[in-house]
Amino acid sequence: AQSVTQLGSHVSVSEGALVLLRCNYSSSVPPYLFWYVQYPNQGLQLLLKYTTGATLVKGINGFEAEFKKSETSFHLTKPSAHMSDAAEYFCAVGSNTGKLIFGQGTTLQVKP
Amino acid sequence: DAGVTQSPTHLIKTRGQHVTLRCSPISGHKSVSWYQQVLGQGPQFIFQYYEKEERGRGNFPDRFSARQFPNYSSELNVNALLLGDSALYLCASSAHASGRGGYEQYFGPGTRLTVT
């Protein structure tokens, strides 16, 4: 069975500081991994995805994530946080049947 | 092009009632998936349809059902509503459904269902 664990339900950073949101996955097959962002009262927007190939994936809004098979991790980073980055972030793994399995989410707070 | 659209945006129902939620996928997308997002949690998979056929079903009771129409739009039906069905219901569309889930799923804004 596949699963996703997001470490830290709430992360707070200062504007301009590094953003690091942690995600670990469990999968019996090479995974497809995704990060989504959800702003209040909105649906989910795809930030980036990993399928195969380069393990460092760049997404929208300056975010990137690195797939580390040995650590079963797919952490999301951004060098410098903006106030507009405050939102809920979800890591997900694509299952064999095509459905997405999501983690519990991490709320990112950005302080001025 | 328009993104995924869902209707209604908000809905209030009473326990025991029935509800129908609607979704229109991105033009050209043939797969629609439904997810339930309870407050404070990640979305949980309910159904996936592709080319009008059910391709997957999550761990939800038979009170939940869905269908996909020839124009690829979809309906999610929930019977005998319970208080615990209160959630944001998200629809996602993708160009494909088969394979190992590497295709992007694009989400609509959701329908907020409140059961009282």
Side-chain angles (χ1 to χ4, degrees):
Chain A
Q2 294 171 300
S3 65
V4 171
T5 301
Q6 292 184 238
L7 303 175
S9 60
H10 190 99
V11 171
S12 182
V13 301
S14 298
E15 192 173 19
L18 171 70
V19 175
L20 171 60
L21 305 182
R22 300 178 187 273
C23 172
N24 287 90
Y25 69 90
S26 172
S27 178
S28 57
V29 297
Y32 291 167
L33 295 163
F34 304 82
W35 274 100
Y36 283 86
V37 61
Q38 185 176 36
Y39 297 100
N41 300 313
Q42 294 188 25
L44 279 70
Q45 181 183 10
L46 180 66
L47 282 175
L48 49 80
K49 75 169 187 177
Y50 168 80
T51 54
T52 59
T55 57
L56 183 62
V57 180
K58 295 186 183 300
I60 62 172
N61 301 338
F63 285 95
E64 62 182 36
E66 186 171 10
F67 171 64
K68 292 187 176 181
K69 183 178 178 181
S70 61
E71 299 177 8
T72 61
S73 69
F74 191 57
H75 301 332
L76 181 71
T77 61
K78 183 174 180 177
S80 177
H82 296 161
M83 296 297 293
S84 60
D85 294 327
E88 186 85 8
Y89 291 80
F90 292 95
C91 180
V93 61
S95 75
N96 291 339
T97 58
K99 72 179 183 182
L100 292 173
I101 299 166
F102 287 89
Q104 291 289 87
T106 297
T107 301
L108 175 64
Q109 179 187 24
V110 182
K111 298 176 293 185
Chain B
D1 276 343
V4 178
T5 60
Q6 293 186 244
S7 63
T9 54
H10 295 87
L11 203 54
I12 299 176
K13 290 286 189 179
T14 303
R15 279 177 296 175
Q17 286 188 317
H18 163 270
V19 69
T20 297
L21 311 180
R22 295 178 175 83
C23 170
S24 292
I26 292 170
S27 178
H29 284 191
K30 299 181 178 181
S31 176
V32 169
S33 298
W34 288 94
Y35 292 82
Q36 180 196 64
Q37 186 179 18
V38 174
L39 194 63
Q41 297 183 20
Q44 297 290 317
F45 173 76
I46 311 176
F47 285 109
Q48 182 186 61
Y49 277 78
Y50 180 72
E51 289 279 19
K52 303 179 287 297
E53 292 186 0
E54 182 181 306
R55 287 298 188 94
R57 183 185 182 114
N59 188 25
F60 280 82
D62 290 344
R63 298 185 296 108
F64 289 76
S65 63
R67 56 178 175 169
Q68 187 176 32
F69 299 99
N71 66 354
Y72 304 112
S73 66
S74 177
E75 283 184 354
L76 175 69
N77 295 282
V78 187
N79 293 323
L81 285 166
L82 304 174
L83 294 179
D85 295 330
S86 295
L88 180 67
Y89 288 85
L90 295 164
C91 173
S93 80
S94 62
H96 307 280
S98 60
R100 289 183 35 247
Y103 302 110
E104 293 94 340
Q105 293 192 27
Y106 297 89
F107 285 80
T111 293
R112 174 74 62 188
L113 172 65
T114 301
V115 182
T116 62

